Amino acid sequence: MTFGDAINLGLALAVVFAAGIGITDLLIGRNSGYSKLERWSLAWLFGTGAVSLMLWLAGFVVSGDVRLRIVVVLASSTVAYLGGKTARQRTPQIRGTRTIIDRTLFAIVLCEIVAVFVMSSRHGLGWDGLLNWEIKARYVFLNGGVMPAAYFGSVSRAFSHPEYPLFIPLTETWLYLWLGEANQFWAMTLFPVFYAAGAFLLAAITTRVSGSQRAGGLAAALLFFVPYLHTGGGRVISGYADFPLSICYLATVGYLASAARDNSAAAFRLFVASTALLPWMKREGLILCVTAAACAVILFWRRRPMRQWLFGFAPALVIAAAWRLYLYTMHVRPPLDFVSISFTSIAASSNRIGPIAAMTFRELASVSHWSVFWLLVLAALLISACRKPDRQTVALGFAIVAPLVLYCSTYLFSAWPSIAAHVTGSMPRLALQLVPVAWCLVAGILTRESQQPGPGR
């Protein structure tokens, strides 16, 4: 890599962070209860989402990599300036005290992030990362920053799922446009950053939801020890969309819970922004949006005007509808993985319920993929059920269980010749999307239990 390439790569990432930090500061407003690490983590999430959306939208009116970069840079600079004006009006945050345990957990998280970066430099993109996401980034780059219309109608390219949203491909394209080449190695650098942002965001949200800084540090430190994150087919460093989606889902559920508990307008705005990115990241994002809507009912029932929390899902619905309209105008064929839903297909697939449930259970019990993670989640859910959980705990538990049930139900309409191959091939990646939220629940309950007064105390 030449010095010029390093400069260009740095500029590309700087624009992403500039857009992200501007959006984050605008959403937080004058609220000073958000640490720098939390803001920087949100900046990466919102920055990648904003830049990919801007590339897609700008492609309708301008063409050419230079023009597209100018449009995105100007828009990102404007957002960063407006966010900076808001941040300057914010009261400086008073930092809390950290115990030796908190500092140790923070050091462990830093070491884990370094390990992920090292592993990333030694591995290439996985199957989906290469043939579902990076291939789109390459087509966009070679077509001057705009997805060629011929791609969507090509039968020979149907294997790459043209119907998938463009969050990951256009984020990779942004780097390619600055580097002047489609370089998969540097595209891989995006995903360790997602892990770092996810770990810090998990710590911040768990602390916010549980009220315990130790719980936040514990959740972030334990995240690394789920084997599938760094050894499975959908590992963080494989270029898949599942881990970024899991972080966005964590932000959605976490800030929704924070908004309900503290009646925080800033947390509610962060929830709205996070939800908007779910359908833009991956097709399953719509299922997670539906789950988040149900969590909102649990948390805000009789507490917030119905129209107010329903408005929180409007941006997500607009993005989802815009993408579906785009696919319709491009005459994209429906995916071949599933049959259409009808009374006939439901009746014909009823005998699949038992095998699907059994295969899902075997997957979640797989030590090579998950170690004892899902056993801990089950224990946490049982403990919370015995303790008569509050609304927040119920919502977090629902946010884990409901998507699993909905994901399993989709296999009832699988068009694959082997239903077992479909389940075993995709269920691990679907379960990965729920891992950060599950760690948030587990760490909060474990910490709460450890702080319960014992006999004679």
Side-chain angles (χ1 to χ4, degrees), residues 229-301:
L229 277 172
H230 44 83
T231 61
R235 60 182 182 262
V236 173
I237 57 175
S238 294
Y240 285 41
D242 299 286
F243 186 77
L245 180 62
S246 75
I247 297 305
C248 189
Y249 185 52
L250 168 70
T252 296
V253 176
Y255 289 117
L256 177 65
S258 179
R261 191 187 69 172
D262 304 326
N263 196 26
S264 169
F268 190 78
R269 289 192 294 269
L270 291 172
F271 151 72
V272 173
S274 302
T275 308
L277 292 180
L278 288 175
W280 180 235
M281 282 191 169
K282 206 177 179 192
R283 193 167 54 185
E284 292 89 53
L286 286 174
I287 291 179
L288 299 179
C289 279
V290 171
T291 305
C295 291
V297 173
I298 295 172
L299 290 167
F300 289 127
W301 187 253

Side-chain angles (χ1 to χ4, degrees), residues 53-397:
L53 276 169
M54 285 189 284
L55 275 178
W56 180 52
L57 296 174
F60 290 108
V61 293
V62 298
S63 60
D65 61 332
V66 176
R67 292 179 181 177
L68 282 171
R69 280 189 286 166
I70 291 174
V71 170
V72 175
V73 168
L74 289 176
S76 300
S77 301
T78 302
V79 172
Y81 171 75
L82 295 175
K85 287 184 63 177
T86 303
R88 284 192 290 272
Q89 300 172 2
R90 193 176 299 145
T91 304
Q93 182 189 22
I94 300 176
R95 298 182 62 180
T97 58
R98 285 185 177 179
T99 65
I100 186 63
I101 295 178
D102 296 329
R103 295 179 185 275
T104 301
L105 290 172
F106 181 74
I108 291 173
V109 172
L110 288 180
C111 291
E112 292 168 350
I113 291 172
V114 172
V116 171
F117 272 92
V118 171
M119 287 189 290
S120 174
S121 67
R122 299 178 179 179
H123 292 274
L125 296 170
W127 179 271
D128 280 12
L130 185 63
L131 298 178
N132 283 345
W133 306 115
E134 199 276 338
I135 190 175
K136 295 182 176 69
R138 189 170 294 263
Y139 285 142
V140 174
F141 169 74
L142 294 175
N143 196 48
V146 180
M147 179 66 79
Y151 164 75
F152 294 100
S154 174
V155 177
S156 63
R157 297 180 178 89
F159 69 90
S160 63
H161 290 281
E163 76 280 1
Y164 280 4
L166 297 176
F167 177 94
I168 293 296
L170 289 182
T171 304
E172 294 173 342
T173 299
W174 180 245
L175 298 188
Y176 292 172
L177 293 176
W178 283 85
L179 290 170
E181 63 173 336
N183 191 313
Q184 293 176 10
F185 178 82
W186 295 112
M188 284 287 296
T189 61
L190 295 170
F191 299 95
V193 182
F194 270 114
Y195 180 84
F200 290 135
L201 196 58
L202 177 58
I205 289 178
T206 304
T207 299
R208 192 174 298 280
V209 170
S210 67
S212 169
Q213 192 173 44
R214 186 172 301 176
L218 183 65
L222 291 176
L223 177 65
F224 182 79
F225 294 98
V226 176
Y228 196 73
L229 277 172
H230 44 83
T231 61
R235 60 182 182 262
V236 173
I237 57 175
S238 294
Y240 285 41
D242 299 286
F243 186 77
L245 180 62
S246 75
I247 297 305
C248 189
Y249 185 52
L250 168 70
T252 296
V253 176
Y255 289 117
L256 177 65
S258 179
R261 191 187 69 172
D262 304 326
N263 196 26
S264 169
F268 190 78
R269 289 192 294 269
L270 291 172
F271 151 72
V272 173
S274 302
T275 308
L277 292 180
L278 288 175
W280 180 235
M281 282 191 169
K282 206 177 179 192
R283 193 167 54 185
E284 292 89 53
L286 286 174
I287 291 179
L288 299 179
C289 279
V290 171
T291 305
C295 291
V297 173
I298 295 172
L299 290 167
F300 289 127
W301 187 253
R302 297 180 178 177
R303 295 182 56 189
R304 184 181 287 263
M306 188 73 69
R307 63 180 181 276
Q308 189 168 352
W309 68 259
L310 281 177
F311 173 77
F313 295 94
L317 294 176
V318 169
I319 291 176
W323 178 246
R324 295 305 305 172
L325 178 62
Y326 177 72
L327 294 178
Y328 177 78
T329 58
M330 291 294 171
H331 306 288
V332 176
R333 299 182 180 185
L336 302 177
D337 294 328
F338 300 95
V339 300
S340 58
I341 300 177
S342 64
F343 288 110
T344 303
S345 60
I346 293 175
S349 60
S350 59
N351 61 339
R352 293 180 173 183
I353 295 176
I356 290 172
M359 287 184 284
T360 301
F361 176 80
R362 283 197 298 270
E363 169 56 38
L364 298 182
S366 172
V367 176
S368 62
H369 280 176
W370 309 106
S371 185
V372 296
F373 170 69
W374 288 108
L375 182 61
L376 285 175
V377 175
L378 178 61
L381 291 173
L382 292 176
I383 290 172
S384 64
C386 294
R387 296 284 184 180
K388 294 183 179 180
D390 55 15
R391 288 188 180 186
Q392 178 177 281
T393 305
V394 171
L396 286 174

